[in-house]
Amino acid sequence: MKVCLAGEGAMGTNHMKVIQGIDGIEVVSVAGGIEADTAEFANKFGIPHFSLDLEECLDRPGVEAVVLTSPNQIHARHTEMALNAGKHVLVEIPMGLSLEESRRVAELESETGLVCMVCHTLRYSPPHVEMRRLVRSGDLDLHHLVWQTYFFRRVNTNMFGKPRTWTDDLLWHHVCHMVDYMYWLFDDPDMEVWGQKGPKHPELGIPMDLSIGLRTAKDCLITGAFSFNNHGAISSSCRFIGEQESYRIEKGSLFDHEDSETKLAGNSLELQDREFFAAIEEGRPPLSSCAECLPVMNLLDRLERSILGAEG
């Protein structure tokens, strides 16, 4: 299968490293935002064509699908462009930066009948999948989940420290990971939600800290802390406080309360990307289709309105 990739940054690099190990998948074109970086990316990965024009890349002979790792602000527009061009789409989260954008994308997915999959990577992460198994089987009754995601991002750089041409968003990007997982874990689109934000950065113009709360229909509390102000490396962890046991997921591993690790095999990004190509080949919806994930965007919209309401 011939594939186009959009985005020459950190996530484009991560996807390329995975795709190169999947038999039968060939990236034949890369669409970028900065010409020198895009040329370097194409040369590094042996991609025969590059352009700053996504339409040109989608029109390359034989291209059936596109992996979109472009800036958050143009995810919805690029997804619509690709679907209208008859291409299957794997889009990094978020599928849109508003509920309206997300609805539009999900509607077009339905109209075209193409595979349009969102990179809700935690649905493919072995530790997160195992915790869902424990909860859904009734082996673990949860009282409280505590989620923490920390960055140091007071300047516009990506995870590799390279300058960015766009500004990240804590709510619609990083909180989206948490909210999607909680929705998938509990199958509860009507969770209570509330949130507050810290001051905006004087140059970036975005809130650098968020405090997020949710409550499920079964009265499980979910507490989230998100910061772009935390000194240190990028980190994300989740603590599952249950009746029978307490677990935590940290640095990609699952531990119980005695720090005993459950050994689990599999790379979440590889499992996710393989699901995309398998869904195309098998003619079925993927696990994290736009339609499946639309309730998540509704929860984020409600969170945003709660945060704005808390400002007065």
Side-chain angles (χ1 to χ4, degrees):
M1 183 187 303
K2 292 184 178 180
V3 176
C4 162
L5 185 140
E8 76 278 23
M11 288 311 301
T13 297
N14 290 340
H15 280 281
M16 274 304 306
K17 289 177 179 177
V18 164
I19 291 171
Q20 285 182 321
I22 301 177
D23 290 340
I25 306 301
E26 179 187 7
V27 177
V28 297
S29 182
V30 56
I34 299 173
E35 186 168 7
D37 290 351
T38 309
E40 180 184 351
F41 186 97
N43 181 63
K44 176 181 178 180
F45 290 106
I47 302 170
H49 174 267
F50 75 89
S51 173
L52 303 189
D53 183 344
L54 178 58
E55 282 188 289
E56 178 185 331
C57 296
L58 293 171
D59 285 341
R60 297 295 292 176
V63 168
E64 296 181 51
V66 59
V67 178
L68 294 175
T69 72
S70 45
N72 294 343
Q73 289 81 353
I74 52 177
H75 281 183
R77 179 162 62 85
H78 277 181
T79 301
E80 290 172 307
M81 181 190 301
L83 289 173
N84 282 322
K87 314 300 180 185
H88 303 286
V89 177
L90 176 64
V91 58
E92 273 295 331
I93 73 164
M95 70 172 94
L97 280 179
S98 68
L99 180 57
E100 180 184 357
E101 282 189 350
S102 304
R103 281 174 174 161
R104 214 168 56 226
V105 168
E107 287 170 4
L108 190 56
E109 172 195 44
S110 176
E111 289 171 13
T112 61
L114 294 162
V115 171
C116 193
M117 174 173 153
V118 193
C119 289
H120 285 296
T121 315
L122 297 183
R123 296 191 183 204
Y124 308 90
S125 159
H128 293 84
V129 171
E130 172 62 11
M131 288 308 304
R132 183 177 186 264
R133 185 193 68 78
L134 290 173
V135 171
R136 298 297 283 267
S137 68
D139 291 334
L140 181 66
D141 299 301
L142 289 170
H143 297 303
H144 198 169
L145 288 101
V146 182
W147 192 287
Q148 301 174 84
T149 297
Y150 298 139
F151 292 75
F152 190 70
R153 190 163 281 170
R154 293 179 185 171
V155 293
N156 237 352
T157 57
N158 66 19
M159 66 174 66
F160 298 145
K162 294 193 69 172
R164 265 188 172 150
T165 58
W166 55 281
T167 306
D168 205 355
D169 188 289
L170 266 179
L171 179 66
W172 288 89
H173 182 184
H174 299 287
V175 176
C176 187
H177 277 297
M178 181 192 83
V179 172
D180 177 73
Y181 183 67
M182 296 309 166
Y183 167 69
W184 189 57
L185 181 66
F186 292 108
D187 191 24
D188 185 355
D190 299 317
M191 285 184 281
E192 296 178 43
V193 302
W194 60 93
Q196 292 194 351
K197 66 179 181 180
K200 289 184 178 180
H201 189 279
E203 295 176 7
L204 298 179
I206 56 170
M208 301 289 282
D209 293 273
L210 291 175
S211 177
I212 302 297
L214 301 94
R215 182 194 293 267
T216 72
K218 293 184 177 181
D219 284 331
C220 177
L221 291 177
I222 301 161
T223 301
F226 298 81
S227 181
F228 280 163
N229 274 319
N230 186 70
H231 293 262
I234 295 171
S235 65
S236 186
S237 64
C238 185
R239 185 174 296 273
F240 300 75
I241 301 171
E243 177 67 23
Q244 298 88 346
E245 177 59 276
S246 292
Y247 296 90
R248 76 180 191 280
I249 296 175
E250 191 171 68
K251 296 181 179 179
S253 297
L254 176 62
F255 303 90
D256 65 16
H257 78 281
E258 294 180 333
D259 284 338
S260 177
E261 181 180 355
T262 300
K263 298 290 186 180
L264 299 163
N267 176 286
S268 55
L269 190 61
E270 179 183 347
L271 292 167
Q272 168 193 269
D273 287 11
R274 286 185 179 276
E275 165 68 4
F276 173 59
F277 296 118
I280 295 171
E281 291 173 0
E282 296 166 14
R284 60 170 174 81
L287 173 61
S288 50
S289 69
C290 294
E292 160 62 26
C293 297
L294 191 58
V296 176
M297 309 312 278
N298 185 61
L299 285 165
L300 283 173
D301 178 71
R302 288 169 52 208
L303 266 170
E304 182 173 65
R305 287 187 276 120
S306 171
I307 290 167
L308 292 173
E311 286 187 300

